């Protein structure tokens, strides 16, 4: 495995929004825990309770007014001779590998477990825990050690590690889980689309906001044939556009 650390550590884009974009910087770590793991609901609930943020805080970090166009920040990592690009939005993170959009976890855990701390966390959202049957106790132990090297307060390390590990390895305790989830955001909200292949159904929802409210979910049966992923992206955009303007 070859990791081009320089491409990550020295890629200071013109629109870099953090003074220090590493996990040892509390502002960046707080943003990352919220935006990179929107599917880890236990983690999100813990963060909202102990480390609440505001839209103003997010907008300030991205150096943009909340009415401006939502433009992601790009980061690039070379891992196993493949180029992985991260698109950092205000409320979620997207991934591209060799130019193709990633919508499922793709790296087995052994690919990231020996990388430096920043790169480990940057790639963690696209690690496939189930692929190698990675054990929960080992993951929990690794996360505690890794988080102890970040800006997270020591008293919160075990709780955050537990919430994160459950969300990654056990789907927050769900008996089953969607094949994949895609995200799309507006200025004030984050929306998701879950694909349940067994039912042939797309689940559209709004991520709970800071007031713990969200719109009613929507469910759509997929058409026969065609590219389900592209169809789901289109239906998510269409559903969002039909919602009342905030």
């Amino acid at each position: 495995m070859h990791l081009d650390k320089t491409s990550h550590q020295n890629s200071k884009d013109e629109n870099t929004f953090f003074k220090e974009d590493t996990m040892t910087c509390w502002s960046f770590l707080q943003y990352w825990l919220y935006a990179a793991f929107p599917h880890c609901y236990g983690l999100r609930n813990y963060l909202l309770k102990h480390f609440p943020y505001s839209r103003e805080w997010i907008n300030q970090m991205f150096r943009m007014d909340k009415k401006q166009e939502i433009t992601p920040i790009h980061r690039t990592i070379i891992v196993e001779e493949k180029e992985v690009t991260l698109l950092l939005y205000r409320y979620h993170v997207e991934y591209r590998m060799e130019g193709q959009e990633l919508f499922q976890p793709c790296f087995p855990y052994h690919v990231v477990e020996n990388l430096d701390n920043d790169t480990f966390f940057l790639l963690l959202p696209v690690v496939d825990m189930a692929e190698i049957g990675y054990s929960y106790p080992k993951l929990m132990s690794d996360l505690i050690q890794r988080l102890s090297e970040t800006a997270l307060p020591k008293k919160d390390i075990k709780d955050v590690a537990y919430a994160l590990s459950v969300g990654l390895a056990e789907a927050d305790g769900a008996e089953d889980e969607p094949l994949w989830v895609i995200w799309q955001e507006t200025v004030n909200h984050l929306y998701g689309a879950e694909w349940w292949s067994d039912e042939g159904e797309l689940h559209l929802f709004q991520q709970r906001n800071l007031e713990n409210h969200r719109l009613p979910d929507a469910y759509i049966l997929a058409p026969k044939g065609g590219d389900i992923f592209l169809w789901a992206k289109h239906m998510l955009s269409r559903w969002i556009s039909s919602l009342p303007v905030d």
Side-chain angles (χ1 to χ4, degrees), residues 8-9 12 18-37 75 77 86 88 93 95 116-125 143 145-153 157 164:
H8 164 60
Q9 295 174 349
K12 303 298 183 182
F18 295 112
K19 183 177 181 180
E20 183 182 7
D21 56 347
T22 75
M23 302 301 166
T24 58
C25 173
W26 172 239
S27 295
F28 184 78
L29 177 63
Q30 189 175 5
Y31 158 78
W32 184 255
L33 291 174
Y34 269 108
F37 308 99
R75 290 290 178 271
I77 299 172
L86 287 69
L88 281 63
V93 179
Y95 288 79
D116 66 86
N117 220 35
D118 283 346
T119 312
F120 171 86
F121 280 112
L122 290 174
L123 291 177
L124 192 57
L143 288 174
Q145 178 183 349
R146 293 280 188 170
L147 287 169
S148 68
E149 300 173 15
T150 71
L152 187 69
I157 289 175
L164 185 55

Side-chain angles (χ1 to χ4, degrees), residues 148-202:
S148 68
E149 300 173 15
T150 71
L152 187 69
K154 293 186 181 303
K155 64 181 180 62
D156 297 289
I157 289 175
K158 288 186 178 180
D159 289 333
V160 170
Y162 173 76
L164 185 55
S165 64
V166 169
L168 290 173
E170 301 179 13
D172 281 328
E175 294 182 0
D176 53 6
E177 56 183 306
L179 184 61
W180 43 257
V181 183
I182 56 177
W183 303 94
Q184 185 174 328
E185 66 182 58
T186 62
V187 168
N188 293 321
H189 298 292
L190 178 63
Y191 301 89
E194 297 178 333
W195 171 240
W196 298 83
S197 56
D198 292 342
E199 293 83 2
E201 187 175 62
L202 186 69

Side-chain angles (χ1 to χ4, degrees), residues 18-82:
F18 295 112
K19 183 177 181 180
E20 183 182 7
D21 56 347
T22 75
M23 302 301 166
T24 58
C25 173
W26 172 239
S27 295
F28 184 78
L29 177 63
Q30 189 175 5
Y31 158 78
W32 184 255
L33 291 174
Y34 269 108
F37 308 99
H39 57 295
C40 295
Y41 300 113
L43 173 64
R44 182 177 177 83
N45 290 337
Y46 186 89
L47 294 173
L48 285 172
K49 180 179 179 180
H50 297 279
F51 304 110
Y53 70 82
S54 68
R55 295 187 183 93
E56 289 74 20
W57 181 70
I58 291 292
N59 294 333
Q60 181 180 11
M61 291 201 310
F62 276 77
R63 294 179 181 172
M64 57 177 62
D65 183 85
K66 67 179 182 178
K67 295 182 179 180
Q68 291 180 330
E69 181 181 356
I70 301 170
T71 304
I73 309 299
H74 290 69
R75 290 290 178 271
T76 299
I77 299 172
I78 306 299
V79 57
E80 293 201 322
E81 300 183 353
K82 296 178 181 179

